[in-house]
């Protein structure tokens, strides 16, 4: 990186009120590293090299890639019915739900945070503190006994719970934990 590049990065950080860390490496050599902003704005705790960033739905990409790797290995298909592997899926959840439905948010299952019904994501964690949710399985009680939201494949409805089930499916097939 040139001096001009460093200036451009710093200007961008200032202009956008960027909060996070920037690492530029080439051939395992660090060319640029900087922390900016707060890890916790309410308490003015600055970001630093050891800050753990929550990436929320950014994890869905990793889950989808892991599913694709299992498909590539022939361990399941996109048309695999999830009940074949997930014995804890409640009886009222449709037998027709496939891996594809979960990946594309068309399964119809209830979600643990439904934006149509809840306005504040933080209210979910008042009765279900996040620190108690350490495994994929620990998320299941948040949604598994709720009735289907709509018939399988009928429509798209953004659904975090579907990706919890995909994570659990990955664990069942790979015999490895994802958390």
């Amino acid at each position: 990186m040139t001096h001009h590049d460093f200036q451009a990065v710093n200007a961008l950080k200032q202009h956008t009120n960027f909060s996070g860390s920037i690492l530029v490496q080439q051939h395992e050599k660090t060319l640029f590293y900087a922390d900016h902003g707060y890890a916790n704005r309410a308490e003015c705790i600055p970001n630093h090299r050891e800050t753990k960033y929550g990436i929320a739905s950014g994890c869905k990409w990793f889950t989808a890639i892991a599913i694709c790797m299992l498909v590539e290995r022939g361990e399941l298909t996109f048309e695999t019915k999830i009940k074949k592997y997930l014995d804890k899926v409640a009886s009222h959840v449709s037998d027709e739900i496939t891996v594809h439905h979960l990946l594309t948010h068309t399964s119809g299952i209830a979600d643990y945070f439904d934006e149509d019904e809840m306005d504040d994501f933080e209210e979910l964690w008042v009765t279900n503190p996040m620190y108690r949710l350490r495994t994929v399985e620990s998320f299941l009680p948040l949604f598994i006994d709720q009735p289907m939201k709509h018939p399988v494949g009928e429509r798209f409805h953004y659904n975090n719970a579907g990706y919890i089930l995909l994570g659990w499916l990955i664990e069942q097939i790979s015999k490895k934990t994802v958390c």
Side-chain angles (χ1 to χ4, degrees):
M1 284 182 71
T2 67
H3 179 68
H4 177 71
D5 294 329
F6 292 121
Q7 287 179 321
V9 168
N10 284 326
L12 185 61
K13 288 188 317 187
Q14 302 261 321
H15 177 70
T16 63
N17 196 22
F18 174 75
S19 182
S21 298
I22 300 170
L23 171 66
V24 179
Q25 287 186 315
Q26 184 176 32
H27 305 294
E28 298 185 31
K29 179 181 176 192
T30 298
L31 303 177
F32 180 79
Y33 181 83
D35 297 306
H36 189 73
Y38 295 112
N40 180 321
R41 290 180 184 176
E43 298 176 23
C44 296
I45 298 170
N47 282 316
H48 57 84
R49 189 172 286 269
E50 301 301 317
T51 298
K52 303 241 186 297
Y53 294 100
I55 60 173
S57 290
C59 292
K60 287 180 175 70
W61 287 101
F62 298 108
T63 303
I65 288 167
I67 289 292
C68 290
M69 290 171 71
L70 292 172
V71 168
E72 183 177 64
R73 292 180 190 155
E75 297 186 46
L76 74 148
T77 71
F78 294 116
E79 298 310 314
T80 297
K81 306 245 193 261
I82 64 166
K83 275 203 172 180
K84 176 179 177 181
Y85 293 96
L86 305 174
D87 60 356
K88 289 197 178 188
V89 174
S91 60
H92 65 277
V93 173
S94 174
D95 292 341
E96 298 305 309
I97 297 173
T98 64
V99 170
H100 178 262
H101 290 123
L102 295 175
L103 284 169
T104 60
H105 303 274
T106 59
S107 68
I109 64 169
D111 199 2
Y112 59 90
F113 178 73
D114 189 336
E115 294 169 351
D116 292 343
E117 298 174 21
M118 296 174 78
D119 294 326
D120 185 5
F121 188 65
E122 291 181 12
E123 76 184 54
L124 173 65
W125 309 119
V126 171
T127 55
N128 303 294
M130 193 171 283
Y131 65 84
R132 291 186 182 162
L133 304 171
R134 294 290 184 206
T135 65
V136 173
E137 191 170 349
S138 65
F139 278 85
L140 295 179
L142 300 179
F143 66 90
I144 204 65
D145 291 327
Q146 295 180 30
M148 295 283 290
K149 182 115 177 128
H150 58 78
V152 179
E154 180 181 274
R155 63 185 174 95
F156 173 91
H157 188 262
Y158 191 81
N159 191 304
N160 295 296
Y163 275 74
I164 296 296
L165 290 178
L166 288 169
W168 196 22
L169 181 62
I170 292 164
E171 288 185 346
Q172 300 301 304
I173 293 172
S174 71
K175 307 293 186 226
K176 296 178 183 175
T177 59
V178 297
C179 291

